[in-house]
Amino acid sequence: MSLKTAAYQVIIIGAGLAGLSAAEMLSGLGAKVLLLDEGMQPGGQYLKRPLPLLRRLATIHDNDKMHKKGMELLDSLNGLELEIQACTQVLGLEPDSQGGGMVWGETKDGKLSAWRAPHIILAAGARERFIPFKGWTLPGVISTGAVQLMLKGSGILPADKVMVAGCGPLPLAVAGELVKAGARVPHVWDPTGFLQKLGTLRKGAIAWEKAAQAIKYQALVMLKGGRLRHRVAILEARGSGQLEEVVTVRINRSGKPKGGSERVIPARCLAVGHGFVPNIELAQQAGCELEYDADRGGWVVRVDAGLNTSLPGIYAAGEITGIAGAKISQNQGCRAAYAIVKKLELGKVLRASAYLDTLTMLRKDEEHLAVLINRLSIPPAGLWDLVPDDTIICRCEDITFGQVRPLLNSGVYDLSELKRSTRAGMGPCQGRTCGPILEALAQAASRGKEPPPPLPPRAPVKPFRLSALLDLETTGDKK
Amino acid sequence: MSGDLRIRGFERKHPVHLLVNGKPVTAYEGETLHAALIAAGILSLKTSRVTQEPRGVFCGMGVCHECLVTINGVTGIRACMTLVQDGMKVETHEP
């Protein structure tokens, strides 16, 4: 007995910029393509917009060149014979030795489905990275990404007054967007140093372009009376039932706190984020090889120049090959699609090639910039020493650092073993939040050059309802 | 006390009426449930498994499972991945 599968030429998982770009090219050239996405509508996090799409609001919906291009891309899908399944949670990928394989998941109607194709593009994007602090589980402490998506998707502020903390490009951008949307942002705290940021300007025009954006956001925050401070970390979030106050501390270059510099600030809402983590779980479950590169956001899916993973007919594009932003995601989506166009001999390879020429060329400096931004997203290592034993590491299972620390001290750095011993990573998020935290803690404890390999995910890679199993359409012998 | 958290100038469609823990909450078509709950001042959504502490919206993108609520009797639904619907009955802090 096996799941009844629908056959396609290409299955694309993830409808962000990478997946959309690939879908547009392949479908435009006549391939039978299925595009699967977890979100309520295609576009991923980058192109988040209200549903149903009403008028875009200039103050909260970006209108720069890349966003315009993304919106055009979405528009162009309407004219294609492309099958898009939104609200679909992909749960597993069984590779086929001939290439590609079978993808299965829970669809919008809560049923399990399976699809098969000789070519599969994985474009699952990224999530946020967090450094835990005492009280980070209190309602009112929210991720910077969550704030941005609420603004763009629902037009709702998380609070009328929001503190923002963290590093990488998102916190300052979110602070600026909050101010534009009418919120007050009294404080933005960044654990990294200002000089570190200035150093990136040596990398040329593209870095200046990004710096100009950052300065614009900073100016917005400051014009409304907000302050941006570097080398400040969150020590604790306090409150009874929900956030009431935040304790900050000044830190030095390596993350060591300066005694007596603690400040207690009343707050109902604190947005936090420390860069991004690639969503490699599905690729990992399928058996794609990974590699570690801190400059690309940590553990990423290994691809060759043609974006092939280590498995035949399975490609990876966008943030799962390394955190590098919208432009590179779009570019990789197109390049993965082009590799398939050639293999499928769609008879229009020349047209595809001409099309490829019109793409934004992958600029070397764009890659340099991605490296710099990833470096700015890594908070000083000493911040990990600030995490007290009673801080929750695994939010799903309420596992504290104190429960993990003895194991780390006795030389257990293997994440699977840490998981088995403590239950950290066993909850419904399946280690997506605590996994990167455990990696960093284990790396710090082992003083290793790189962290231990990530937790090995198994199918189903996300939770689903058992009721979905009840009305399966199957083929073959029913035993 | 916070004022209206709905951003001015953001075009909204029809109002929809929810019942959250038996109390009426007005939201607008197209809004995600987690955002509508925050706008209604409801921050605490579930009780953590072991320490029984309140939890609320965290990742806002379907990853962390901290915003699990019961919708029309079905437990364990991510509020951040659900659009509001007229007549929706939402319960927070259910096992």
Side-chain angles (χ1 to χ4, degrees):
Chain A
M1 186 177 108
S2 60
L3 265 173
K4 190 173 156 189
T5 57
Y8 295 85
Q9 280 178 301
V10 186
I11 297 172
I12 301 168
I13 299 163
L17 271 180
L20 285 174
S21 307
E24 195 222 11
M25 182 192 279
L26 284 159
S27 186
L29 291 172
K32 193 181 178 203
V33 181
L34 171 66
L35 177 59
L36 300 171
D37 192 71
E38 183 181 22
M40 293 174 239
Q41 57 182 352
Q45 315 305 343
Y46 186 77
L47 297 172
K48 186 80 177 179
R49 61 213 183 281
L51 182 118
L53 181 59
L54 301 165
R55 189 168 49 86
R56 287 163 59 80
L57 189 59
T59 50
I60 47 175
H61 294 111
D62 294 302
N63 208 18
D64 53 70
K65 229 158 82 184
M66 200 61 220
H67 277 88
K68 273 187 193 149
K69 195 173 266 183
M71 293 307 290
E72 284 166 21
L73 193 56
L74 284 168
D75 285 341
S76 69
L77 299 184
N78 295 327
L80 298 174
E81 269 181 62
L82 167 68
E83 189 178 335
I84 304 177
Q85 293 211 23
C87 298
T88 294
Q89 191 85 72
V90 171
L91 300 170
L93 165 55
E94 267 179 46
D96 187 325
S97 58
Q98 303 295 306
M102 186 193 79
V103 176
W104 63 285
E106 188 182 359
T107 54
K108 191 178 184 173
D109 56 8
K111 290 184 179 159
L112 284 188
S113 281
W115 311 273
R116 188 175 284 284
H119 301 280
I120 295 171
I121 302 177
L122 306 176
R127 60 180 181 273
E128 275 181 284
R129 180 188 298 280
F130 305 102
I131 295 194
F133 47 87
K134 201 176 165 183
W136 72 306
T137 51
L138 277 172
V141 180
I142 187 171
S143 80
T144 43
V147 171
Q148 191 176 51
L149 296 175
M150 272 180 71
L151 295 181
K152 291 182 178 178
S154 298
I156 291 176
L157 301 168
D160 55 357
K161 196 162 97 177
V162 185
M163 313 291 169
V164 180
C167 46
L170 199 50
L172 190 54
V174 165
E177 286 165 4
L178 277 166
V179 168
K180 275 202 283 183
R184 282 190 297 149
V185 182
H187 293 282
V188 181
W189 297 297
D190 188 332
T192 65
F194 182 62
L195 287 177
Q196 203 181 334
K197 284 186 183 168
L198 271 185
T200 62
L201 294 180
R202 285 177 309 193
K203 288 290 175 179
I206 187 133
W208 284 89
E209 209 177 285
K210 293 285 165 187
Q213 260 177 29
I215 290 166
K216 196 185 79 186
Y217 286 129
Q218 187 173 342
L220 275 167
V221 171
M222 287 168 67
L223 278 172
K224 297 283 176 181
R227 277 187 83 182
L228 165 66
R229 294 191 64 198
H230 290 91
R231 296 242 172 95
V232 175
I234 305 290
L235 209 52
E236 190 180 342
R238 294 178 187 156
S240 159
Q242 65 184 63
L243 180 69
E244 287 162 10
E245 54 189 34
V246 177
V247 186
T248 62
V249 67
R250 291 186 61 194
I251 52 173
N252 69 11
R253 192 191 168 91
S254 58
K256 280 213 162 47
K258 287 185 181 157
S261 67
E262 294 87 358
R263 279 186 66 199
V264 180
I265 291 140
R268 309 280 286 181
C269 183
L270 169 67
V272 291
H274 299 90
F276 304 99
V277 189
N279 287 329
I280 55 174
E281 288 72 17
L282 185 66
Q284 206 187 344
Q285 176 269 311
C288 297
E289 278 172 28
L290 305 179
E291 62 191 4
Y292 181 80
D293 184 350
D295 286 341
R296 283 188 284 152
W299 288 101
V300 298
V301 181
R302 197 167 86 196
V303 287
D304 64 15
L307 297 164
N308 298 281
T309 67
S310 59
L311 296 175
I314 298 181
Y315 309 77
E319 307 279 45
I320 65 170
T321 71
I323 303 299
K327 229 179 248 183
I328 290 182
S329 288
Q330 181 218 15
N331 191 288
Q332 288 193 345
C334 291
R335 280 160 55 211
Y338 183 60
I340 296 172
V341 167
K342 282 193 288 186
K343 286 224 178 97
L344 285 176
E345 294 175 356
L346 288 171
K348 294 162 188 163
V349 174
L350 278 177
R351 222 180 93 198
S353 157
Y355 179 86
L356 200 68
D357 287 340
T358 67
L359 291 177
T360 327
M361 291 310 289
L362 186 63
R363 287 149 61 183
K364 268 284 159 218
D365 58 351
E366 192 79 38
E367 280 184 342
H368 285 316
L369 180 80
V371 168
L372 290 169
I373 287 180
N374 280 314
R375 286 189 187 164
L376 287 178
S377 302
I378 298 174
L383 276 196
W384 294 101
D385 300 330
L386 293 182
V387 183
D389 270 359
D390 55 355
T391 303
I392 284 175
I393 300 290
C394 166
R395 300 172 66 109
C396 298
E397 297 288 320
D398 293 332
I399 309 300
T400 62
F401 187 26
Q403 287 166 272
V404 179
R405 199 194 295 270
L407 288 156
L408 293 172
N409 287 348
S410 64
V412 178
Y413 309 129
D414 178 67
L415 262 52
S416 298
E417 208 175 326
L418 290 171
K419 177 179 169 180
R420 273 194 302 272
S421 309
T422 65
R423 292 192 62 82
M426 273 194 197
C429 93
Q430 301 188 8
R432 283 176 175 80
T433 315
C434 70
I437 296 170
L438 290 170
E439 275 175 34
L441 289 172
Q443 184 182 8
S446 70
R447 296 194 171 78
K449 264 201 176 132
E450 59 181 56
L455 283 169
R458 292 179 185 92
V461 296
K462 287 227 173 176
F464 73 102
R465 294 192 170 276
L466 281 176
S467 61
L469 284 169
L470 294 178
D471 45 7
L472 277 187
E473 274 189 79
T474 55
T475 57
D477 303 331
K478 294 197 176 183
K479 285 176 186 160
Chain B
M1 185 57 211
S2 59
D4 191 2
L5 298 179
R6 288 190 166 79
I7 297 164
R8 259 182 286 165
F10 192 98
E11 204 175 331
R12 291 172 208 280
K13 263 192 147 181
H14 317 287
V16 297
H17 303 282
L18 323 174
L19 269 186
V20 184
N21 300 325
K23 290 187 188 131
V25 165
T26 303
Y28 294 85
E29 196 183 317
E31 289 177 355
T32 311
L33 178 60
H34 76 308
L37 290 173
I38 287 175
I42 303 164
L43 296 188
S44 176
L45 300 182
K46 78 164 197 187
T47 309
S48 75
R49 238 179 56 83
V50 180
T51 56
Q52 305 284 304
E53 286 166 341
R55 297 285 166 82
V57 171
F58 185 63
C59 81
M61 57 189 287
V63 177
C64 76
H65 290 69
E66 291 282 58
C67 65
L68 298 183
V69 293
T70 299
I71 298 175
N72 300 330
V74 183
T75 57
I77 298 182
R78 293 172 292 181
C80 72
M81 299 296 280
T82 308
L83 288 175
V84 294
Q85 266 180 8
D86 202 34
M88 199 178 238
K89 287 191 180 72
V90 182
E91 310 289 336
T92 63
H93 301 97
E94 290 213 332

